[in-house]
Amino acid sequence: MKDIQLIIEKYRNADFETRQYLFLSHRSLRNEFLEIEQQDAVEQLSAAPVKNRCCIGGFWGQSWMGA
């Protein structure tokens, strides 16, 4: 059990290449690895500021009513 926890911790702290190696090497732990990836993705998305680049009307002289 300690070995599994050590591998999961190693994956959590690893760079991209090491994560790939661990993912391919430890088939039985792939679900845990995927959960870590999902958690990391959520953290990255929530930390990034939202940039609203929507251009509805008003920009470049565009109009919703006829051309």
Side-chain angles (χ1 to χ4, degrees):
M1 188 67 172
K2 288 183 181 180
D3 291 336
I4 292 172
Q5 293 303 323
L6 289 174
I7 294 169
I8 291 172
E9 272 308 306
K10 187 174 181 181
Y11 184 89
R12 185 171 279 126
N13 298 323
D15 64 349
F16 178 75
E17 288 182 25
T18 306
R19 282 187 172 194
Q20 277 186 322
Y21 173 77
L22 291 170
F23 186 86
L24 295 173
S25 299
H26 301 283
R27 187 180 186 111
S28 63
L29 297 175
R30 288 184 181 175
N31 287 333
E32 287 82 357
F33 295 157
L34 289 174
E35 287 178 17
I36 292 169
E37 291 295 332
Q38 289 174 347
Q39 290 170 356
D40 287 353
V42 168
E43 289 174 7
Q44 287 177 353
L45 286 175
S46 64
V50 176
K51 295 181 181 178
N52 188 0
R53 295 182 181 228
C54 183
C55 298
I56 298 177
F59 292 103
W60 305 298
Q62 296 175 347
S63 172
W64 285 98
M65 302 301 289

